[in-house]
Amino acid sequence: MKLVSRAQAPTPKFFKVLRNVGLVLAAVGGTILAAPVALPVLVTSVGGYLVVAGGVASAVSQLTTINDNVNK
């Protein structure tokens, strides 16, 4: 299955929820990194990790598909 057709295929409900959670994590991390005030190094490090983890979770969840043609 090619990447484009895989991204457009139906996604299971659990992975839709996981994708949305990943997007929220990435948004929170981006907000922390873009804060106009000086934050402690630990907080900015956590923000960076949230962006990466949220992006990976969203990408993997989006590419997970329902396969009805299972070999039996």
Side-chain angles (χ1 to χ4, degrees), residues 45-71:
S45 295
V46 169
Y49 289 127
L50 285 175
V51 170
V52 172
V56 170
S58 297
V60 170
S61 297
Q62 181 62 40
L63 295 177
T64 304
T65 61
I66 299 172
N67 188 3
D68 292 333
N69 299 328
V70 177
N71 295 334

Side-chain angles (χ1 to χ4, degrees), residues 22-57:
L23 290 173
V24 169
L25 285 177
V28 168
T31 303
I32 290 171
L33 291 176
V37 296
L39 297 172
V41 175
L42 179 66
V43 174
T44 55
S45 295
V46 169
Y49 289 127
L50 285 175
V51 170
V52 172
V56 170

